[in-house]
Amino acid sequence: MKKIFLIGFIFPVLIACGNPKYIEEVPLKLKYDEQKIKKALGINERQTNERLADQYEEGLTDEQIRVKEKYAVLLSVRPDEVKNYDFYGYIDKWLGTPYGNRAFTKDSLGMVPFVQALYSKTYKKSLPKTALGIFKSKDIELFLSRIDLEEGDFIFLRYNKDNPISDVAIYLKNDRILATTKSSGLRIFNFNDDYFQTRYFASGRIKEE
């Protein structure tokens, strides 16, 4: 009888959603039994948990799980999309470091020396010492299409007409990039922000051997 009553309650509510006045007519405090509704709608919590568990590989260390969960949140992606643990683990150690142009210390950090260290550590690649040098490197394949951006790609930025390439950022996932600014230091930004869109020059990727 309770199940019939519950379904009888839900069905008129769903029908009422087509009424423009529906939102105004819904009580501000609606008491309901969450478990009964889940049962009536066929929602199985065990299945939901199993789907979440599938996003974690077997044998992960506590540190890898921490990195996966932290950067899944920061990048607004599913946990199973974060798998490059050396890459994000290294970034995590330096995230929040104040801006420092060409410096590379815990108190002052420039993007180019950081990118050099990041690629040396996680990709075993040696990069030039300037953003322009990376841009002109014969080992870098340049492109403009944002659709083709992948994790680890270079984002080349131009701040003034006298300097063709002023700085470099790193593409992560979901339109998120890693960059440094004088006001924020090293942090994750949205590539769609006007600050980066007006300064974007090109993208690049290390050529496959």
Side-chain angles (χ1 to χ4, degrees), residues 3 6-7 10 32-51:
K3 183 175 180 181
L6 178 62
I7 295 175
I10 293 174
Y32 60 92
D33 189 318
E34 183 177 352
Q35 295 304 318
K36 287 184 178 180
I37 291 179
K38 286 182 178 180
K39 184 176 181 180
L41 296 179
I43 299 175
N44 188 320
E45 288 193 14
R46 182 176 180 181
Q47 292 176 349
T48 302
N49 291 334
E50 287 174 351
R51 287 196 296 272

Side-chain angles (χ1 to χ4, degrees), residues 1-196:
M1 184 64 184
K2 290 183 178 180
K3 183 175 180 181
I4 295 175
F5 172 76
L6 178 62
I7 295 175
F9 169 76
I10 293 174
F11 183 74
V13 170
L14 294 176
I15 295 298
C17 290
N19 190 328
K21 296 182 179 180
Y22 170 70
I23 298 299
E24 298 177 1
E25 294 173 355
V26 171
L28 294 179
K29 294 182 179 180
L30 179 62
K31 295 182 179 180
Y32 60 92
D33 189 318
E34 183 177 352
Q35 295 304 318
K36 287 184 178 180
I37 291 179
K38 286 182 178 180
K39 184 176 181 180
L41 296 179
I43 299 175
N44 188 320
E45 288 193 14
R46 182 176 180 181
Q47 292 176 349
T48 302
N49 291 334
E50 287 174 351
R51 287 196 296 272
L52 180 59
D54 289 342
Q55 298 180 41
Y56 291 73
E57 310 94 289
E58 293 184 4
L60 293 179
T61 65
D62 290 344
E63 175 61 13
Q64 288 173 331
I65 292 174
R66 183 191 71 82
V67 169
K68 177 186 283 289
E69 293 178 344
K70 178 176 179 177
Y71 285 86
V73 172
L74 290 178
L75 304 177
S76 297
V77 297
R78 289 162 47 99
D80 60 358
E81 294 185 49
V82 179
K83 295 181 179 179
N84 196 342
Y85 303 112
D86 288 341
F87 179 74
Y88 288 105
Y90 191 83
I91 290 173
D92 197 57
K93 295 177 182 178
W94 295 90
L95 205 63
T97 305
Y99 174 83
N101 196 9
R102 297 182 181 181
F104 188 39
T105 71
K106 282 294 185 179
D107 299 319
S108 181
L109 179 121
M111 194 62 191
V112 173
F114 172 79
V115 168
Q116 283 184 295
L118 174 66
Y119 268 75
S120 176
K121 175 71 175 178
T122 61
Y123 296 118
K124 311 302 179 186
K125 298 291 185 179
S126 179
L127 297 175
K129 296 180 179 180
T130 66
L132 182 59
I134 298 174
F135 177 80
K136 290 184 174 182
S137 173
K138 62 181 181 179
D139 296 324
I140 302 297
E141 179 182 359
L142 299 175
F143 59 95
L144 291 174
S145 175
R146 289 183 50 175
I147 298 177
D148 296 326
L149 282 167
E150 297 178 358
E151 180 184 272
D153 285 347
F154 302 102
I155 303 292
F156 295 104
L157 304 171
R158 183 177 186 177
Y159 294 153
N160 58 70
K161 62 181 180 180
D162 298 325
N163 192 350
I165 302 297
S166 304
D167 207 353
V168 62
I170 297 297
Y171 186 81
L172 302 178
K173 291 178 179 293
N174 193 27
D175 281 338
R176 303 301 195 272
I177 63 174
L178 184 72
T180 56
T181 64
K182 291 181 179 179
S183 59
S184 303
L186 182 70
R187 56 165 285 204
I188 294 172
F189 297 88
N190 191 323
F191 189 30
N192 296 310
D193 290 348
D194 290 342
Y195 179 88
F196 295 104

